[in-house]
Amino acid sequence: MKPKILVTDATFPEIIDYLSHSFEVEHNQADQNYDESALIQKLQDKAGVFAYPTRRFAGPLFAACPQLKAMCNMAVGYNNIDVAAATAAGIMVTNTPDVLNETTADFGWTLMMAAARRISESEHFLRGGRWKRWRFDDFLGVDVHGSTLGIIGMGRIGQAIARRSMGFNMKVVYHNRSRLAPELEHAANNATYLTLEACLRAADHLILALPYSAQSHHLIGEAQLAMMKSTATLVNIARGGIIDDAALITALKAGVIAAAGIDVFENEPAFNPDFLSLTNVVLTTHIGSASTSTRLAMAYCAADNLIAAMAGKRPANLLNPESFQA
Ligand code: GLV
C-alpha cells in the first residue's frame, strides 16, 4: 500500500501526477484555506505533507498527528515550521534551497532598480492620464551603476545578488552572521564585510536576503533606517517581520530614505494599509522565486525530499538530521 500524503495547497498538476507514483495523494487543487483544525483533521491519516510556507506547523499540530513522519516545505525559508518541535516529535523537515538562488537574486535586482528609478510612480502617472509633456525633472531617481550595494544576509541568494553587481561597476559591502571565506568574498565582487551599522551607513542600495528568526525580527527599525543615506533604497525579498513596517512607512514619508521595494510583509497577505498612500515604495506579492521554471524546480525538489523520506532514505535537504534514522 502506498503511504498517504497531503499536499496542503494548489500546485502544478504534474507535481500531483509525480507524487501519485509513490503516494496516495490528498491534494487541495481547489486551494481551500484550511484553518489549523481542518489541517489537523486532513493530516490524521497522513505520513507525509507537502507544505507551503504560508502554513504554520508547530507543537500542537505535531501532537495531534503522531503518525506524521515528514514535512517537506516548498520554500527555502522555513520559519513557518517549529523545527525543534518537529524534531522532538520525530518528524523530518526539509526545504528547497539552491534551485531558487538565481531567480530570487534577479528579483532583488528588479525591485532595487524599480525603486531607485521610480518605475511604479512613473507608470501610475502614465496610466492615470497625467503625462502631458516631457520634463527634465520627471521622476529623477538614484543611479544604480557605480554605487555601493549593501547586502544583509550573504548566503547563497545574497552572493548571487552580489555577483550581478560586477556588470554595474558597483562596490559591495555586506553583513552576515559570520564573515565569508576569502574565495567566496572574491566571487561576490570582492565584497567587504562590515558591521550592520557600517553597512547601513555605506549602502546606496540595501537588499535584505537573510532568514527570519527571533534574532532578525525588526532588525531594521527606526534607529537603523536613520543610519541610512537619505538617497538610499531599501529592498526586502527575505521575510516580513525583518523590517518594522510601521517604522519604514514613517521613514519613507519623512524622506529618511528615498525609496523601498518590498516583496514580503509582516502578517502577509495582510499588510499595513499605510503603504498604499506612499508613492516611493514598489510593492509586490511575495514573488521573489516566481518564475515558472524555478517554482516548478522547487516543487520537484520538495516532492523528491518527500519521496526519499517516505522510502526511509535521507532527504537531500533535511534540516533536522537528528530526526533521521537510517
Ligand atoms: C520563499 O519565500 C522561500 O522561502 O522560498
Side-chain angles (χ1 to χ4, degrees):
M1 235 175 47
K2 292 177 183 171
K4 292 184 180 175
I5 65 151
L6 176 73
V7 179
T8 59
D9 298 84
T11 189
F12 298 97
E14 54 266 58
I15 295 297
I16 302 292
D17 291 346
Y18 186 63
L19 289 166
S20 299
H21 293 303
S22 308
F23 304 117
E24 195 176 311
V25 179
E26 178 169 348
H27 61 68
N28 179 15
Q29 293 301 73
D31 218 19
Q32 284 173 355
N33 199 4
Y34 312 132
D35 62 15
E36 191 180 8
S37 69
L39 191 58
I40 288 174
Q41 202 231 321
K42 296 260 170 212
L43 285 171
Q44 277 315 296
D45 55 346
K46 307 297 185 302
V49 54
F50 180 108
Y52 273 16
T54 47
R55 296 195 181 270
R56 176 95 190 125
F57 295 94
L61 182 142
F62 302 142
C65 307
Q67 78 302 331
L68 208 53
K69 294 280 165 284
M71 174 159 299
C72 298
N73 222 30
M74 194 192 118
V76 65
Y78 50 90
N79 55 301
N80 59 310
I81 301 174
D82 182 339
V83 179
T87 307
I91 298 171
M92 286 183 261
V93 180
T94 66
N95 68 341
T96 62
D98 293 322
V99 290
L100 76 181
N101 294 347
E102 301 299 327
T103 299
T104 308
D106 286 351
F107 194 72
W109 270 76
T110 304
L111 278 186
M112 172 175 69
M113 298 193 77
R117 296 298 305 273
R118 304 175 64 179
I119 299 292
S120 287
E121 278 180 84
S122 171
E123 185 179 358
H124 279 101
F125 187 71
L126 179 150
R127 286 178 185 270
R130 284 178 285 149
W131 190 28
K132 301 299 177 209
R133 54 198 282 261
W134 187 90
R135 277 184 58 92
F136 75 99
D137 60 352
D138 272 345
F139 303 106
L140 300 181
V142 177
D143 278 327
V144 171
H145 74 270
S147 67
T148 296
L149 171 61
I151 301 172
I152 311 289
M154 198 59 142
R156 289 162 288 205
I157 294 172
Q159 292 170 47
I161 290 168
R163 284 196 302 275
R164 282 159 173 71
S165 69
M166 289 181 200
F168 285 71
N169 191 27
M170 292 168 93
K171 182 174 173 204
V172 176
V173 296
Y174 76 98
H175 181 70
N176 196 46
R177 270 174 302 188
S178 50
R179 187 172 173 175
L180 297 186
E183 62 276 16
L184 293 180
E185 284 187 348
H186 178 72
N189 195 9
N190 289 316
T192 304
Y193 182 65
L194 296 178
T195 62
L196 175 62
E197 177 169 343
C199 203
L200 291 166
R201 292 191 189 283
D204 293 306
H205 307 284
L206 186 75
I207 303 185
L208 306 181
L210 70 163
Y212 178 84
S213 65
Q215 292 70 42
S216 64
H217 179 75
H218 285 189
L219 185 75
I220 307 296
E222 185 186 352
Q224 292 70 30
L225 290 161
M227 291 171 192
M228 295 179 69
K229 297 182 184 181
S230 59
T231 49
T233 305
L234 174 64
V235 169
N236 190 3
I237 51 161
R239 277 291 182 273
I242 296 176
I243 298 179
D244 175 345
D245 285 350
L248 175 61
I249 288 164
T250 304
L252 286 167
K253 267 188 195 152
V256 173
I257 64 170
I262 304 294
D263 186 45
V264 284
F265 300 84
E266 297 192 90
N267 310 316
E268 64 184 49
F271 58 89
N272 188 322
D274 291 347
F275 272 123
L276 298 180
S277 65
L278 299 174
T279 53
N280 54 347
V281 60
V282 181
L283 303 167
T284 51
T285 54
H286 201 147
I287 55 170
S289 62
S291 73
T292 305
S293 62
T294 292
R295 284 281 167 88
L296 200 52
M298 291 165 70
Y300 275 114
C301 178
D304 285 337
N305 282 323
L306 194 51
I307 290 166
M310 290 290 106
K313 298 184 191 142
R314 185 184 165 121
N317 308 114
L318 186 60
L319 293 163
N320 56 346
E322 316 88 290
S323 66
F324 177 68
Q325 282 144 16

